Amino acid sequence: MSPTIAPAVLFFNHLDPTGRSGLGGDILTATQFGCQAVTVLTANTVQDTGVIEEIHPVNDETLDNQARCLLEDIPVHAIRAGGLYSADHASVIAQIAADYDNVPLVLYLGPQYASVIEDSTDDDIEALLLATWETLIPQAACVVVDCSYLNLWAPEDEHDTDSSIPVILQAILAAGAKSCLALFYPSPDEAHQHILLEGESRRMAFGFFPLAGQPESGDMISAALACELTRGKALTTACETAITYAHKALADGRKLGMSKLVAQRLQKP
């Protein structure tokens, strides 16, 4: 790669028309980190800064064709996958990651919106979970998961309790992910911290962060992490940089509409 060319990151995500999350936010984050965002749409949403009213997923053939069109043209240095709405989405991205296994995949598991889709059934949601665990998680260099939503992605036999969180995180590693960054992990003093897990032990904890409950935090952190990995940064350093960036962006959030704050993803040096 020429030093004058920004490294490219391939983003799979939905289109949030407000720019709080989704592909619009990914492009801003990539710009902040000196990367070129190339994007694949997973779904269009009808929403404002507060509520998602409708989700219209892209079909799996279009998803696959767009991603491979980009990958055959542009040298991509990292892939970030989020905004999964069907088992076919998970399977398509997993196959692409397998075909480009020299490119690190950052997988973000945040709010699970499949149930919002008008025609979705319990079987559809179960199929998405199964495909994510069996095909996509094993391809990931790092799974970024928001513990606030972890039980939405848990295997069917796990209980909806905080005590199951360590079990589910270890299951992610056992499924084949090389590492797992757990966001807003509950600690005994009722604070939250971010924990990086590799192998069978806790590798690194990143302090107290009071901005839990904002879905776009994990969206930003995973996007920034993918950008940092394009430059060969050590995983712990890349995670710390991504977390610090997202925390500042959220702390500087501004009112764009009548509902939630919009994080300031473009920051001054």
Side-chain angles (χ1 to χ4, degrees):
M1 182 180 68
S2 167
T4 62
I5 299 176
V9 180
L10 177 62
F11 291 98
F12 291 90
N13 215 341
H14 65 275
L15 179 61
D16 175 350
T18 72
R20 290 182 71 243
S21 63
L23 293 178
D26 291 338
I27 292 168
L28 293 176
T29 295
T31 300
Q32 177 67 30
F33 281 84
C35 292
Q36 175 66 48
V38 293
T39 61
V40 179
L41 180 70
T42 61
N44 282 298
T45 65
V46 177
Q47 67 178 98
D48 55 23
T49 56
V51 178
I52 295 177
E53 296 184 357
E54 299 175 19
I55 296 176
H56 302 279
V58 169
N59 69 68
D60 57 304
E61 183 178 1
T62 301
L63 188 80
D64 188 52
N65 288 344
Q66 181 59 80
R68 293 188 182 278
C69 182
L70 290 169
L71 287 162
E72 290 168 8
D73 179 45
I74 301 169
V76 165
H77 297 81
I79 300 171
R80 201 293 303 277
L84 308 175
Y85 297 99
S86 72
D88 288 338
H89 282 180
S91 298
V92 164
I93 297 171
Q95 186 58 60
I96 289 169
D99 292 343
Y100 292 84
D101 58 358
N102 61 319
V103 178
L105 169 67
V106 176
L107 171 62
Y108 174 50
L109 301 180
Q112 219 264 54
Y113 291 125
S115 59
V116 179
I117 300 170
E118 183 176 353
D119 297 327
S120 67
T121 65
D122 289 343
D123 287 344
D124 294 331
I125 295 169
E126 186 59 33
L128 169 59
L129 293 175
L130 189 64
T132 299
W133 280 86
E134 291 190 350
T135 68
L136 195 50
I137 288 176
Q139 302 293 335
C142 186
V143 176
V144 179
V145 59
D146 188 328
C147 291
S148 307
Y149 307 104
L150 184 57
N151 281 296
L152 298 176
W153 292 97
E156 191 175 16
D157 58 349
E158 295 297 341
H159 298 292
D160 188 16
T161 64
D162 283 347
S163 62
S164 70
I165 289 177
V167 175
I168 299 170
L169 294 177
Q170 287 300 328
I172 288 172
L173 296 178
K178 294 182 177 62
S179 64
C180 179
L181 178 60
L183 307 177
F184 306 115
Y185 187 98
S187 60
D189 59 0
E190 298 185 352
H192 291 84
Q193 57 187 348
H194 305 320
I195 295 176
L196 176 63
L197 299 167
E198 290 183 285
E200 297 183 359
S201 62
R202 184 192 312 195
R203 170 77 178 270
M204 179 70 72
F206 305 95
F208 169 69
F209 289 81
L211 297 170
Q214 301 194 46
E216 70 272 25
S217 58
D219 193 64
M220 275 190 288
I221 289 169
S222 59
L225 175 58
C227 291
E228 283 290 272
L229 293 180
T230 68
R231 303 185 185 282
K233 297 286 185 68
L235 184 59
T236 52
T237 301
C239 287
E240 186 169 19
T241 299
I243 290 166
T244 301
Y245 159 75
H247 181 71
K248 185 176 187 304
L250 286 164
D252 293 341
R254 301 173 188 173
K255 276 273 190 178
L256 181 64
M258 294 184 291
S259 190
K260 297 176 183 177
L261 297 177
V262 176
Q264 296 303 294
R265 293 189 184 229
L266 292 179
Q267 301 171 10
K268 295 179 180 179

Tab-separated table of all heavy atoms in Angstrom, residues 53-112:
chain	number	residue	atom	x	y	z
A	53	GLU	N	-38.811	2.772	13.092
A	53	GLU	CA	-40.192	2.411	12.780
A	53	GLU	C	-40.283	1.233	11.819
A	53	GLU	O	-41.183	0.403	11.932
A	53	GLU	CB	-40.926	3.620	12.197
A	53	GLU	CG	-41.067	4.777	13.188
A	53	GLU	CD	-41.885	5.919	12.619
A	53	GLU	OE1	-42.296	5.838	11.436
A	53	GLU	OE2	-42.102	6.895	13.356
A	54	GLU	N	-39.373	1.176	10.863
A	54	GLU	CA	-39.397	0.092	9.882
A	54	GLU	C	-37.963	-0.286	9.520
A	54	GLU	O	-37.068	0.554	9.541
A	54	GLU	CB	-40.131	0.520	8.600
A	54	GLU	CG	-41.578	0.907	8.785
A	54	GLU	CD	-42.184	1.437	7.491
A	54	GLU	OE1	-41.608	1.167	6.404
A	54	GLU	OE2	-43.217	2.119	7.568
A	55	ILE	N	-37.782	-1.562	9.170
A	55	ILE	CA	-36.499	-2.052	8.659
A	55	ILE	C	-36.768	-2.840	7.388
A	55	ILE	O	-37.652	-3.708	7.358
A	55	ILE	CB	-35.779	-2.949	9.682
A	55	ILE	CG1	-35.421	-2.154	10.934
A	55	ILE	CG2	-34.512	-3.553	9.071
A	55	ILE	CD1	-34.800	-2.992	12.030
A	56	HIS	N	-36.017	-2.532	6.345
A	56	HIS	CA	-36.176	-3.211	5.055
A	56	HIS	C	-34.834	-3.823	4.652
A	56	HIS	O	-33.987	-3.149	4.052
A	56	HIS	CB	-36.664	-2.220	3.992
A	56	HIS	CG	-37.963	-1.563	4.359
A	56	HIS	ND1	-39.179	-2.164	4.168
A	56	HIS	CD2	-38.222	-0.351	4.932
A	56	HIS	CE1	-40.141	-1.368	4.587
A	56	HIS	NE2	-39.592	-0.248	5.058
A	57	PRO	N	-34.609	-5.100	4.996
A	57	PRO	CA	-33.325	-5.732	4.703
A	57	PRO	C	-33.063	-5.875	3.205
A	57	PRO	O	-33.986	-6.045	2.413
A	57	PRO	CB	-33.436	-7.113	5.364
A	57	PRO	CG	-34.546	-6.979	6.354
A	57	PRO	CD	-35.499	-5.987	5.749
A	58	VAL	N	-31.796	-5.822	2.853
A	58	VAL	CA	-31.356	-6.101	1.488
A	58	VAL	C	-31.319	-7.607	1.296
A	58	VAL	O	-30.995	-8.367	2.225
A	58	VAL	CB	-29.953	-5.482	1.267
A	58	VAL	CG1	-29.334	-5.967	-0.036
A	58	VAL	CG2	-30.045	-3.970	1.298
A	59	ASN	N	-31.649	-8.088	0.101
A	59	ASN	CA	-31.593	-9.537	-0.113
A	59	ASN	C	-30.148	-10.014	-0.159
A	59	ASN	O	-29.218	-9.252	-0.445
A	59	ASN	CB	-32.374	-9.938	-1.374
A	59	ASN	CG	-31.716	-9.456	-2.646
A	59	ASN	OD1	-30.635	-9.927	-3.013
A	59	ASN	ND2	-32.355	-8.523	-3.350
A	60	ASP	N	-29.954	-11.294	0.139
A	60	ASP	CA	-28.605	-11.831	0.306
A	60	ASP	C	-27.793	-11.801	-0.993
A	60	ASP	O	-26.573	-11.607	-0.971
A	60	ASP	CB	-28.649	-13.251	0.861
A	60	ASP	CG	-29.454	-14.199	0.003
A	60	ASP	OD1	-30.639	-13.905	-0.241
A	60	ASP	OD2	-28.904	-15.236	-0.420
A	61	GLU	N	-28.461	-11.947	-2.146
A	61	GLU	CA	-27.730	-11.915	-3.413
A	61	GLU	C	-27.137	-10.526	-3.666
A	61	GLU	O	-25.975	-10.403	-4.081
A	61	GLU	CB	-28.654	-12.309	-4.566
A	61	GLU	CG	-27.939	-12.360	-5.913
A	61	GLU	CD	-28.854	-12.808	-7.035
A	61	GLU	OE1	-30.052	-13.060	-6.781
A	61	GLU	OE2	-28.370	-12.910	-8.179
A	62	THR	N	-27.925	-9.476	-3.413
A	62	THR	CA	-27.424	-8.114	-3.577
A	62	THR	C	-26.288	-7.839	-2.604
A	62	THR	O	-25.271	-7.223	-2.965
A	62	THR	CB	-28.566	-7.097	-3.356
A	62	THR	OG1	-29.601	-7.345	-4.299
A	62	THR	CG2	-28.068	-5.676	-3.502
A	63	LEU	N	-26.446	-8.298	-1.366
A	63	LEU	CA	-25.398	-8.134	-0.353
A	63	LEU	C	-24.087	-8.759	-0.826
A	63	LEU	O	-23.018	-8.132	-0.786
A	63	LEU	CB	-25.859	-8.782	0.951
A	63	LEU	CG	-24.998	-8.559	2.186
A	63	LEU	CD1	-25.273	-7.188	2.792
A	63	LEU	CD2	-25.293	-9.645	3.230
A	64	ASP	N	-24.172	-9.993	-1.299
A	64	ASP	CA	-22.986	-10.718	-1.744
A	64	ASP	C	-22.366	-10.058	-2.983
A	64	ASP	O	-21.147	-9.850	-3.049
A	64	ASP	CB	-23.375	-12.162	-2.046
A	64	ASP	CG	-22.174	-13.038	-2.342
A	64	ASP	OD1	-21.229	-13.045	-1.533
A	64	ASP	OD2	-22.173	-13.725	-3.387
A	65	ASN	N	-23.201	-9.696	-3.948
A	65	ASN	CA	-22.689	-9.096	-5.182
A	65	ASN	C	-21.982	-7.768	-4.921
A	65	ASN	O	-20.926	-7.491	-5.489
A	65	ASN	CB	-23.830	-8.883	-6.183
A	65	ASN	CG	-24.338	-10.179	-6.776
A	65	ASN	OD1	-23.690	-11.209	-6.683
A	65	ASN	ND2	-25.522	-10.134	-7.381
A	66	GLN	N	-22.568	-6.936	-4.070
A	66	GLN	CA	-21.949	-5.641	-3.796
A	66	GLN	C	-20.617	-5.797	-3.089
A	66	GLN	O	-19.633	-5.129	-3.420
A	66	GLN	CB	-22.885	-4.759	-2.964
A	66	GLN	CG	-22.308	-3.381	-2.662
A	66	GLN	CD	-21.986	-2.600	-3.923
A	66	GLN	OE1	-22.859	-2.022	-4.543
A	66	GLN	NE2	-20.713	-2.583	-4.334
A	67	ALA	N	-20.556	-6.688	-2.087
A	67	ALA	CA	-19.311	-6.894	-1.351
A	67	ALA	C	-18.210	-7.417	-2.275
A	67	ALA	O	-17.080	-6.919	-2.263
A	67	ALA	CB	-19.544	-7.855	-0.192
A	68	ARG	N	-18.538	-8.400	-3.092
A	68	ARG	CA	-17.506	-9.006	-3.940
A	68	ARG	C	-17.085	-8.057	-5.062
A	68	ARG	O	-15.917	-8.064	-5.480
A	68	ARG	CB	-18.000	-10.344	-4.485
A	68	ARG	CG	-18.155	-11.377	-3.376
A	68	ARG	CD	-18.453	-12.760	-3.876
A	68	ARG	NE	-18.647	-13.687	-2.772
A	68	ARG	CZ	-17.659	-14.280	-2.096
A	68	ARG	NH1	-16.400	-14.047	-2.445
A	68	ARG	NH2	-17.915	-15.105	-1.105
A	69	CYS	N	-18.001	-7.228	-5.523
A	69	CYS	CA	-17.655	-6.209	-6.509
A	69	CYS	C	-16.586	-5.274	-5.944
A	69	CYS	O	-15.596	-4.945	-6.614
A	69	CYS	CB	-18.910	-5.442	-6.899
A	69	CYS	SG	-18.670	-4.186	-8.168
A	70	LEU	N	-16.765	-4.857	-4.704
A	70	LEU	CA	-15.784	-3.980	-4.056
A	70	LEU	C	-14.462	-4.704	-3.810
A	70	LEU	O	-13.383	-4.163	-4.081
A	70	LEU	CB	-16.352	-3.467	-2.728
A	70	LEU	CG	-17.506	-2.472	-2.822
A	70	LEU	CD1	-18.129	-2.260	-1.445
A	70	LEU	CD2	-17.028	-1.142	-3.381
A	71	LEU	N	-14.549	-5.920	-3.290
A	71	LEU	CA	-13.344	-6.654	-2.917
A	71	LEU	C	-12.487	-7.019	-4.126
A	71	LEU	O	-11.262	-7.135	-4.017
A	71	LEU	CB	-13.727	-7.918	-2.141
A	71	LEU	CG	-14.209	-7.672	-0.708
A	71	LEU	CD1	-14.970	-8.883	-0.182
A	71	LEU	CD2	-13.030	-7.339	0.197
A	72	GLU	N	-13.117	-7.219	-5.268
A	72	GLU	CA	-12.355	-7.543	-6.484
A	72	GLU	C	-11.692	-6.305	-7.094
A	72	GLU	O	-10.809	-6.429	-7.940
A	72	GLU	CB	-13.275	-8.206	-7.505
A	72	GLU	CG	-13.702	-9.608	-7.092
A	72	GLU	CD	-14.827	-10.163	-7.947
A	72	GLU	OE1	-15.161	-9.501	-8.959
A	72	GLU	OE2	-15.360	-11.235	-7.600
A	73	ASP	N	-12.113	-5.139	-6.636
A	73	ASP	CA	-11.597	-3.884	-7.182
A	73	ASP	C	-10.633	-3.170	-6.236
A	73	ASP	O	-9.633	-2.606	-6.677
A	73	ASP	CB	-12.776	-2.961	-7.506
A	73	ASP	CG	-12.343	-1.613	-8.058
A	73	ASP	OD1	-11.460	-1.579	-8.938
A	73	ASP	OD2	-12.893	-0.588	-7.622
A	74	ILE	N	-10.911	-3.218	-4.937
A	74	ILE	CA	-10.195	-2.399	-3.946
A	74	ILE	C	-9.498	-3.287	-2.929
A	74	ILE	O	-10.142	-4.169	-2.336
A	74	ILE	CB	-11.186	-1.458	-3.224
A	74	ILE	CG1	-11.889	-0.542	-4.227
A	74	ILE	CG2	-10.477	-0.636	-2.148
A	74	ILE	CD1	-13.063	0.212	-3.638
A	75	PRO	N	-8.206	-3.083	-2.681
A	75	PRO	CA	-7.532	-3.826	-1.611
A	75	PRO	C	-8.087	-3.373	-0.258
A	75	PRO	O	-7.922	-2.223	0.144
A	75	PRO	CB	-6.058	-3.436	-1.767
A	75	PRO	CG	-5.938	-2.835	-3.127
A	75	PRO	CD	-7.274	-2.220	-3.428
A	76	VAL	N	-8.757	-4.276	0.422
A	76	VAL	CA	-9.374	-3.973	1.718
A	76	VAL	C	-8.479	-4.500	2.833
A	76	VAL	O	-7.947	-5.613	2.757
A	76	VAL	CB	-10.786	-4.597	1.791
A	76	VAL	CG1	-11.314	-4.627	3.215
A	76	VAL	CG2	-11.741	-3.826	0.893
A	77	HIS	N	-8.301	-3.695	3.892
A	77	HIS	CA	-7.368	-4.043	4.958
A	77	HIS	C	-8.049	-4.468	6.247
A	77	HIS	O	-7.388	-4.933	7.188
A	77	HIS	CB	-6.427	-2.870	5.225
A	77	HIS	CG	-5.574	-2.534	4.038
A	77	HIS	ND1	-6.029	-1.776	2.988
A	77	HIS	CD2	-4.307	-2.901	3.723
A	77	HIS	CE1	-5.067	-1.670	2.083
A	77	HIS	NE2	-4.017	-2.342	2.494
A	78	ALA	N	-9.363	-4.323	6.332
A	78	ALA	CA	-10.147	-4.821	7.461
A	78	ALA	C	-11.606	-4.840	7.051
A	78	ALA	O	-12.032	-4.098	6.155
A	78	ALA	CB	-9.954	-3.959	8.705
A	79	ILE	N	-12.382	-5.707	7.695
A	79	ILE	CA	-13.824	-5.799	7.476
A	79	ILE	C	-14.515	-5.617	8.815
A	79	ILE	O	-14.124	-6.227	9.812
A	79	ILE	CB	-14.221	-7.161	6.869
A	79	ILE	CG1	-13.539	-7.376	5.509
A	79	ILE	CG2	-15.731	-7.280	6.740
A	79	ILE	CD1	-13.710	-8.785	4.946
A	80	ARG	N	-15.536	-4.756	8.842
A	80	ARG	CA	-16.372	-4.641	10.049
A	80	ARG	C	-17.791	-5.028	9.663
A	80	ARG	O	-18.385	-4.440	8.770
A	80	ARG	CB	-16.353	-3.217	10.588
A	80	ARG	CG	-16.763	-3.090	12.085
A	80	ARG	CD	-18.210	-3.429	12.392
A	80	ARG	NE	-19.139	-2.615	11.622
A	80	ARG	CZ	-19.507	-1.399	11.966
A	80	ARG	NH1	-19.062	-0.850	13.073
A	80	ARG	NH2	-20.350	-0.726	11.182
A	81	ALA	N	-18.349	-6.010	10.363
A	81	ALA	CA	-19.695	-6.498	10.077
A	81	ALA	C	-20.632	-6.135	11.217
A	81	ALA	O	-20.384	-6.472	12.373
A	81	ALA	CB	-19.684	-8.010	9.867
A	82	GLY	N	-21.704	-5.430	10.875
A	82	GLY	CA	-22.771	-5.120	11.816
A	82	GLY	C	-24.064	-5.047	11.040
A	82	GLY	O	-24.089	-5.237	9.824
A	83	GLY	N	-25.166	-4.766	11.731
A	83	GLY	CA	-26.443	-4.632	11.040
A	83	GLY	C	-26.885	-5.905	10.358
A	83	GLY	O	-27.258	-5.897	9.184
A	84	LEU	N	-26.877	-7.021	11.098
A	84	LEU	CA	-27.292	-8.311	10.549
A	84	LEU	C	-28.785	-8.505	10.779
A	84	LEU	O	-29.270	-8.370	11.902
A	84	LEU	CB	-26.526	-9.451	11.219
A	84	LEU	CG	-24.997	-9.323	11.235
A	84	LEU	CD1	-24.390	-10.452	12.046
A	84	LEU	CD2	-24.453	-9.312	9.823
A	85	TYR	N	-29.518	-8.862	9.730
A	85	TYR	CA	-30.970	-8.972	9.858
A	85	TYR	C	-31.527	-10.318	9.427
A	85	TYR	O	-32.740	-10.524	9.492
A	85	TYR	CB	-31.646	-7.848	9.067
A	85	TYR	CG	-31.287	-6.494	9.624
A	85	TYR	CD1	-30.293	-5.723	9.028
A	85	TYR	CD2	-31.900	-6.017	10.770
A	85	TYR	CE1	-29.940	-4.491	9.553
A	85	TYR	CE2	-31.554	-4.783	11.307
A	85	TYR	CZ	-30.573	-4.026	10.695
A	85	TYR	OH	-30.212	-2.816	11.218
A	86	SER	N	-30.678	-11.230	8.979
A	86	SER	CA	-31.172	-12.547	8.584
A	86	SER	C	-30.032	-13.555	8.630
A	86	SER	O	-28.849	-13.185	8.640
A	86	SER	CB	-31.754	-12.516	7.170
A	86	SER	OG	-30.723	-12.382	6.201
A	87	ALA	N	-30.407	-14.829	8.651
A	87	ALA	CA	-29.405	-15.895	8.606
A	87	ALA	C	-28.600	-15.818	7.313
A	87	ALA	O	-27.390	-16.086	7.301
A	87	ALA	CB	-30.096	-17.251	8.721
A	88	ASP	N	-29.256	-15.436	6.222
A	88	ASP	CA	-28.549	-15.312	4.940
A	88	ASP	C	-27.482	-14.223	5.006
A	88	ASP	O	-26.390	-14.373	4.444
A	88	ASP	CB	-29.536	-14.995	3.813
A	88	ASP	CG	-30.406	-16.180	3.447
A	88	ASP	OD1	-29.994	-17.320	3.737
A	88	ASP	OD2	-31.497	-15.973	2.885
A	89	HIS	N	-27.781	-13.109	5.691
A	89	HIS	CA	-26.773	-12.065	5.869
A	89	HIS	C	-25.532	-12.628	6.562
A	89	HIS	O	-24.398	-12.415	6.121
A	89	HIS	CB	-27.337	-10.920	6.719
A	89	HIS	CG	-28.247	-10.004	5.985
A	89	HIS	ND1	-28.845	-8.918	6.569
A	89	HIS	CD2	-28.694	-10.005	4.698
A	89	HIS	CE1	-29.587	-8.282	5.695
A	89	HIS	NE2	-29.521	-8.933	4.547
A	90	ALA	N	-25.751	-13.337	7.672
A	90	ALA	CA	-24.629	-13.891	8.428
A	90	ALA	C	-23.833	-14.883	7.582
A	90	ALA	O	-22.599	-14.860	7.583
A	90	ALA	CB	-25.145	-14.562	9.697
A	91	SER	N	-24.521	-15.725	6.848
A	91	SER	CA	-23.841	-16.745	6.042
A	91	SER	C	-23.046	-16.137	4.899
A	91	SER	O	-21.921	-16.564	4.607
A	91	SER	CB	-24.868	-17.744	5.499
A	91	SER	OG	-25.517	-18.415	6.559
A	92	VAL	N	-23.612	-15.118	4.239
A	92	VAL	CA	-22.913	-14.453	3.145
A	92	VAL	C	-21.638	-13.792	3.646
A	92	VAL	O	-20.555	-13.943	3.048
A	92	VAL	CB	-23.830	-13.406	2.467
A	92	VAL	CG1	-23.017	-12.445	1.602
A	92	VAL	CG2	-24.887	-14.102	1.625
A	93	ILE	N	-21.723	-13.059	4.748
A	93	ILE	CA	-20.544	-12.365	5.274
A	93	ILE	C	-19.508	-13.368	5.761
A	93	ILE	O	-18.301	-13.176	5.574
A	93	ILE	CB	-20.950	-11.385	6.388
A	93	ILE	CG1	-21.876	-10.310	5.820
A	93	ILE	CG2	-19.717	-10.731	7.016
A	93	ILE	CD1	-22.516	-9.423	6.870
A	94	ALA	N	-19.974	-14.463	6.357
A	94	ALA	CA	-19.041	-15.497	6.818
A	94	ALA	C	-18.260	-16.098	5.649
A	94	ALA	O	-17.045	-16.333	5.751
A	94	ALA	CB	-19.799	-16.587	7.565
A	95	GLN	N	-18.941	-16.350	4.536
A	95	GLN	CA	-18.250	-16.924	3.380
A	95	GLN	C	-17.248	-15.933	2.791
A	95	GLN	O	-16.147	-16.314	2.380
A	95	GLN	CB	-19.259	-17.341	2.318
A	95	GLN	CG	-18.639	-18.075	1.137
A	95	GLN	CD	-17.895	-19.320	1.554
A	95	GLN	OE1	-18.489	-20.228	2.133
A	95	GLN	NE2	-16.586	-19.379	1.282
A	96	ILE	N	-17.612	-14.651	2.777
A	96	ILE	CA	-16.688	-13.629	2.289
A	96	ILE	C	-15.461	-13.557	3.194
A	96	ILE	O	-14.319	-13.493	2.715
A	96	ILE	CB	-17.406	-12.268	2.197
A	96	ILE	CG1	-18.401	-12.278	1.039
A	96	ILE	CG2	-16.408	-11.129	2.036
A	96	ILE	CD1	-19.337	-11.098	1.023
A	97	ALA	N	-15.690	-13.584	4.510
A	97	ALA	CA	-14.567	-13.549	5.452
A	97	ALA	C	-13.661	-14.763	5.268
A	97	ALA	O	-12.434	-14.662	5.368
A	97	ALA	CB	-15.091	-13.479	6.884
A	98	ALA	N	-14.256	-15.918	4.994
A	98	ALA	CA	-13.455	-17.125	4.766
A	98	ALA	C	-12.644	-17.011	3.475
A	98	ALA	O	-11.491	-17.449	3.410
A	98	ALA	CB	-14.372	-18.347	4.712
A	99	ASP	N	-13.236	-16.404	2.453
A	99	ASP	CA	-12.540	-16.244	1.175
A	99	ASP	C	-11.413	-15.214	1.263
A	99	ASP	O	-10.469	-15.256	0.465
A	99	ASP	CB	-13.525	-15.825	0.083
A	99	ASP	CG	-14.524	-16.919	-0.260
A	99	ASP	OD1	-14.269	-18.087	0.094
A	99	ASP	OD2	-15.559	-16.601	-0.879
A	100	TYR	N	-11.534	-14.283	2.208
A	100	TYR	CA	-10.508	-13.245	2.411
A	100	TYR	C	-9.975	-13.360	3.838
A	100	TYR	O	-9.993	-12.410	4.611
A	100	TYR	CB	-11.105	-11.852	2.159
A	100	TYR	CG	-11.460	-11.606	0.708
A	100	TYR	CD1	-12.679	-12.036	0.193
A	100	TYR	CD2	-10.570	-10.963	-0.156
A	100	TYR	CE1	-13.005	-11.837	-1.141
A	100	TYR	CE2	-10.893	-10.756	-1.488
A	100	TYR	CZ	-12.106	-11.192	-1.980
A	100	TYR	OH	-12.428	-10.991	-3.306
A	101	ASP	N	-9.487	-14.555	4.168
A	101	ASP	CA	-9.105	-14.832	5.559
A	101	ASP	C	-7.832	-14.124	5.999
A	101	ASP	O	-7.462	-14.178	7.178
A	101	ASP	CB	-8.991	-16.336	5.807
A	101	ASP	CG	-7.974	-17.018	4.898
A	101	ASP	OD1	-7.365	-16.327	4.039
A	101	ASP	OD2	-7.789	-18.235	5.020
A	102	ASN	N	-7.151	-13.443	5.071
A	102	ASN	CA	-5.996	-12.628	5.454
A	102	ASN	C	-6.409	-11.236	5.921
A	102	ASN	O	-5.570	-10.448	6.368
A	102	ASN	CB	-5.024	-12.499	4.276
A	102	ASN	CG	-5.665	-11.814	3.075
A	102	ASN	OD1	-6.827	-12.089	2.757
A	102	ASN	ND2	-4.926	-10.953	2.405
A	103	VAL	N	-7.699	-10.929	5.819
A	103	VAL	CA	-8.222	-9.619	6.224
A	103	VAL	C	-8.942	-9.778	7.558
A	103	VAL	O	-9.861	-10.604	7.660
A	103	VAL	CB	-9.194	-9.069	5.164
A	103	VAL	CG1	-9.767	-7.727	5.606
A	103	VAL	CG2	-8.508	-8.937	3.815
A	104	PRO	N	-8.556	-9.036	8.603
A	104	PRO	CA	-9.212	-9.215	9.901
A	104	PRO	C	-10.678	-8.796	9.863
A	104	PRO	O	-11.026	-7.762	9.301
A	104	PRO	CB	-8.406	-8.313	10.848
A	104	PRO	CG	-7.731	-7.310	9.958
A	104	PRO	CD	-7.474	-8.021	8.667
A	105	LEU	N	-11.539	-9.617	10.467
A	105	LEU	CA	-12.969	-9.335	10.568
A	105	LEU	C	-13.300	-8.915	11.992
A	105	LEU	O	-13.033	-9.651	12.945
A	105	LEU	CB	-13.783	-10.576	10.195
A	105	LEU	CG	-15.284	-10.514	10.507
A	105	LEU	CD1	-15.976	-9.472	9.639
A	105	LEU	CD2	-15.940	-11.887	10.342
A	106	VAL	N	-13.884	-7.724	12.133
A	106	VAL	CA	-14.422	-7.270	13.408
A	106	VAL	C	-15.941	-7.412	13.318
A	106	VAL	O	-16.579	-6.807	12.461
A	106	VAL	CB	-14.035	-5.803	13.704
A	106	VAL	CG1	-14.699	-5.321	14.998
A	106	VAL	CG2	-12.516	-5.661	13.792
A	107	LEU	N	-16.506	-8.219	14.192
A	107	LEU	CA	-17.947	-8.480	14.199
A	107	LEU	C	-18.575	-7.763	15.388
A	107	LEU	O	-18.151	-7.949	16.528
A	107	LEU	CB	-18.204	-9.983	14.312
A	107	LEU	CG	-19.650	-10.426	14.544
A	107	LEU	CD1	-20.544	-10.016	13.378
A	107	LEU	CD2	-19.716	-11.941	14.772
A	108	TYR	N	-19.592	-6.937	15.121
A	108	TYR	CA	-20.274	-6.217	16.193
A	108	TYR	C	-21.642	-6.833	16.462
A	108	TYR	O	-22.479	-6.933	15.562
A	108	TYR	CB	-20.444	-4.741	15.830
A	108	TYR	CG	-21.281	-3.978	16.836
A	108	TYR	CD1	-21.013	-4.056	18.209
A	108	TYR	CD2	-22.348	-3.185	16.431
A	108	TYR	CE1	-21.787	-3.377	19.135
A	108	TYR	CE2	-23.127	-2.492	17.353
A	108	TYR	CZ	-22.838	-2.598	18.706
A	108	TYR	OH	-23.608	-1.919	19.624
A	109	LEU	N	-21.858	-7.240	17.708
A	109	LEU	CA	-23.147	-7.755	18.152
A	109	LEU	C	-23.721	-6.768	19.157
A	109	LEU	O	-23.313	-6.726	20.314
A	109	LEU	CB	-22.981	-9.135	18.801
A	109	LEU	CG	-22.374	-10.227	17.917
A	109	LEU	CD1	-22.261	-11.532	18.696
A	109	LEU	CD2	-23.186	-10.428	16.641
A	110	GLY	N	-24.646	-5.940	18.685
A	110	GLY	CA	-25.279	-4.942	19.535
A	110	GLY	C	-26.767	-5.198	19.632
A	110	GLY	O	-27.188	-6.351	19.766
A	111	PRO	N	-27.599	-4.175	19.552
A	111	PRO	CA	-29.049	-4.396	19.559
A	111	PRO	C	-29.448	-5.346	18.436
A	111	PRO	O	-28.913	-5.276	17.342
A	111	PRO	CB	-29.618	-2.999	19.331
A	111	PRO	CG	-28.546	-2.066	19.779
A	111	PRO	CD	-27.255	-2.735	19.456
A	112	GLN	N	-30.370	-6.236	18.738
A	112	GLN	CA	-30.806	-7.239	17.764
A	112	GLN	C	-32.166	-6.829	17.238
A	112	GLN	O	-33.173	-6.979	17.910
A	112	GLN	CB	-30.878	-8.609	18.466
A	112	GLN	CG	-30.393	-9.742	17.582
A	112	GLN	CD	-31.556	-10.420	16.895
A	112	GLN	OE1	-32.359	-9.768	16.237
A	112	GLN	NE2	-31.638	-11.709	17.036
